[in-house]
Amino acid sequence: MSEQPKVRTTEGLVQGRRRHGHAVFRGIPYARPPVGALRFAAPAPPHRWEGTRQAIEFGPVVPLSLPIDVPPQGTDWLTLNVGTPDPGAAGLPVLVWIPVGGYLSAASSDPMYDPAALAEAGVVVVTVNCRVGAEGFAFLDDAPPNRGLLDQIAALEWVQRNIAAFGGDPGKVTVGGVSAGAGSVAALLTMTSARGLFRRAIAHSVPGLHSTPALARQVTAAFADRLGAAAPTAEALRDIDPWRLAAELTSFNAGLHAHRESWGRLTDTGTALCPVVDGEVLPETPWPALTGGRASGTELLVGHTRDEFRYFSVMSGRYGTFTEEDARAALELHAPRPDGARAYRAAFPQAGPEELVETVYSDALFRMPSQKLAEANAVAGGTSYLFELCWVAPVLGGILGACHSLDVPLAFGTLDSPVGTQLIGEDPTSEAVALSRELHEAWVRFVTTGDAGWPAHRPGGHLTRVLDAESKTLPYPEQASRRIWEGRSPAPFDLS
């Protein structure tokens, strides 16, 4: 048996293992455990160690605020994993993947993010655990805001220090994510502390989820009051078990509708705690920052699915039940003011309540933030490649449509992962395999050269790669929605 691979990082020697023709190193700390005096603090540099650290197992999962039963693990949450074609290589492109969902979960161990196919194609893959939920995004009076984003920057700094030892090129780093991970990527585009840490970006299904400080302060105060804490401060919350805090946030999120009168649009997202536009850590949202010249454009691969909201409506049991009252509420909360509700009804005159609900939620939460990020990045001097996935998930008789997250196992080539089989089936068709190959190859080409393989998306042209059984490059398919949102950027949630 060949010797297991070893790499010397700036903190010490790590030993991984060989797997399917590449090397993997798991659970490497990029910051100290954020517990005790470091809880709710900015990430602190990791400790050094003597001897050889075994990097065989994934690090502990961060406390998750989701309605699933994950047993508490250790507290060394701030770790990352590296999959590399060859630690002895040099100059390989690097993808740093941020696996954040809903700003509530971050599990780099998810088999959907297995690096095997990308490593086989010559890419070094880094997957990152970071703080989410209350640990990462509660707006506390005596703690830095947006700690989850600060963790991501600390991980990118680790990559700059160490990735060459794993065969990667620190000058060819692409940062990527889906959903809240894509929102994190969009935020990093605007943060001065992230400049120089990556060259390119991939963002699938960018959400428009940000809060103003006024709203974030009130939400966190209500959450602290629910916990019986004396104040919305790190000092008051520090002694509460992290997994209890996460469980309480799950319950808190489930009851957001009760606060609709004062908290407005936020209550319709199921996510009480998200990035705060605090003016310092996160100076502003990415769209005005890019179009206003306060952030520089980059090479950006961004896209969304056609039926973004379908997954959520099916999984919640609401699909097929939406009423005219639901449509009116969705338009009132999420259509752009002042005349967006009227514009949607005019643009989709034959649409019933179900289609209106699905269209406005898909647009407001993912499709328009993604398309507008492509445009804003181009205005800022960057090159944007936009896609829309229109291929229908074949499971459940096709009811899921081209739903949220369907594109991720296709791009990673992990069709046999739990999410892959849930959406695509246990025996992928030749059509699914071919589409996966196309998107996967676009990723590899992009992280290697900065070119996704189709014409760039520019203001006025709006060219988009429409991914389907027979993919084509066409003008942006959602033109009616784009016109409704023209001149408007996703605005931070605020007090009503």
Side-chain angles (χ1 to χ4, degrees):
M1 182 176 179
S2 60
E3 184 180 350
Q4 296 301 332
K6 293 183 180 180
V7 167
R8 182 164 296 281
T9 71
T10 51
E11 287 74 44
L13 191 67
V14 293
Q15 178 171 292
R17 65 185 178 93
R18 301 194 186 279
R19 176 176 173 267
H20 305 319
H22 64 285
V24 292
F25 300 81
R26 294 172 173 169
I28 304 174
Y30 66 85
R32 294 180 205 171
V35 295
L38 294 178
R39 195 169 178 199
F40 305 113
H47 292 294
R48 297 177 181 272
W49 59 84
E50 299 295 330
T52 302
R53 182 186 181 103
Q54 293 300 308
I56 306 299
E57 303 294 336
F58 290 110
V61 175
V62 300
L64 309 177
S65 295
L66 293 173
I68 57 175
D69 186 20
V70 178
Q73 302 175 15
T75 57
D76 200 0
W77 304 322
L78 304 187
T79 64
L80 50 76
N81 320 295
V82 181
T84 175
D86 180 7
L92 297 175
V94 181
L95 172 63
V96 178
W97 187 257
I98 301 171
V100 175
Y103 300 107
L104 300 171
S105 66
S108 64
S109 56
D110 191 321
M112 182 167 56
Y113 311 128
D114 190 309
L118 288 166
E120 184 179 352
V123 178
V124 178
V125 181
V126 180
T127 52
V128 179
N129 280 351
C130 61
R131 283 174 286 182
V132 290
E135 303 291 335
F137 293 99
F139 195 59
L140 305 171
D141 293 341
D142 55 346
N146 299 309
R147 295 170 297 280
L149 299 179
L150 295 177
D151 291 347
Q152 295 163 23
I153 288 175
L156 287 167
E157 291 171 340
W158 183 97
V159 168
Q160 287 297 308
R161 294 194 306 269
N162 290 296
I163 207 62
F166 294 86
D169 184 343
K172 292 183 181 178
V173 173
T174 298
V175 63
V178 62
S179 198
S184 299
V185 170
L188 292 169
L189 294 176
T190 72
M191 296 170 67
T192 55
S193 53
R195 288 177 185 166
L197 298 180
F198 59 93
R199 180 174 178 177
R200 302 178 178 121
I202 295 175
H204 285 217
S205 301
V206 181
L209 299 181
H210 301 87
S211 286
T212 64
L215 174 60
R217 185 170 287 110
Q218 192 171 115
V219 169
T220 303
F223 181 55
D225 185 63
R226 172 191 177 93
L227 294 164
T233 62
E235 183 179 4
L237 298 180
R238 193 170 284 130
D239 291 335
I240 298 176
D241 178 80
W243 284 91
R244 183 201 157 200
L245 196 69
E248 291 286 355
L249 181 58
T250 301
S251 300
F252 187 69
N253 284 334
L256 285 180
H257 283 287
H259 300 275
R260 176 171 286 182
E261 187 173 329
S262 54
W263 296 350
R265 292 182 299 135
L266 176 74
T267 62
D268 232 21
T269 66
T271 301
L273 304 176
C274 58
V276 182
V277 184
D278 65 293
E280 294 183 14
V281 174
L282 183 59
E284 57 184 323
T285 57
W287 303 276
L290 288 163
T291 55
R294 293 177 295 279
S296 299
T298 188
E299 293 165 337
L300 173 68
L301 172 56
V302 58
H304 57 72
T305 69
R306 182 188 60 201
D307 308 309
E308 287 280 3
F309 186 64
R310 186 77 59 81
Y311 180 86
F312 303 100
S313 66
V314 170
M315 294 306 168
S316 66
R318 291 299 315 277
Y319 179 69
T321 72
F322 292 110
T323 64
E324 176 58 32
E325 183 179 346
D326 294 322
R328 187 164 49 249
L331 289 166
E332 179 183 338
L333 280 173
H334 296 294
R337 303 280 176 92
D339 58 348
R342 179 199 58 77
Y344 267 103
R345 292 192 184 275
F348 302 94
Q350 304 303 317
E354 187 84 21
E355 183 180 346
L356 280 172
V357 167
E358 182 168 300
T359 300
V360 72
Y361 273 107
S362 293
D363 283 348
L365 296 182
F366 299 110
R367 296 197 309 196
M368 293 304 102
S370 300
Q371 190 273 334
K372 286 186 166 295
L373 188 66
E375 283 196 350
N377 181 65
V379 169
T383 304
S384 300
Y385 299 94
L386 181 66
F387 73 84
E388 178 177 78
L389 178 64
C390 292
W391 184 74
V392 172
V395 297
L396 301 177
I399 194 174
L400 288 171
C403 65
H404 187 72
S405 294
L406 176 61
D407 44 344
V408 181
L410 292 172
F412 269 93
T414 51
L415 306 186
D416 59 348
S417 66
V419 172
T421 56
Q422 178 194 32
L423 299 178
I424 298 167
E426 294 186 1
D427 186 17
T429 64
S430 58
E431 193 172 275
V433 172
L435 184 58
S436 175
R437 184 183 304 114
E438 178 184 357
L439 187 52
H440 173 78
E441 289 176 353
W443 266 26
V444 173
R445 185 185 302 113
F446 179 77
V447 301
T448 304
T449 69
D451 185 343
W454 59 83
H457 184 86
R458 305 185 190 282
H462 306 124
L463 288 177
T464 305
R465 188 65 173 171
V466 178
L467 299 170
D468 209 332
E470 295 184 8
S471 299
K472 298 177 182 178
T473 301
L474 303 169
Y476 183 57
E478 312 303 334
Q479 287 291 343
S481 295
R482 188 193 65 78
R483 285 191 287 268
I484 292 170
W485 285 81
E486 194 162 14
R488 299 178 172 101
S489 295
F493 302 132
D494 202 354
L495 293 168
S496 294

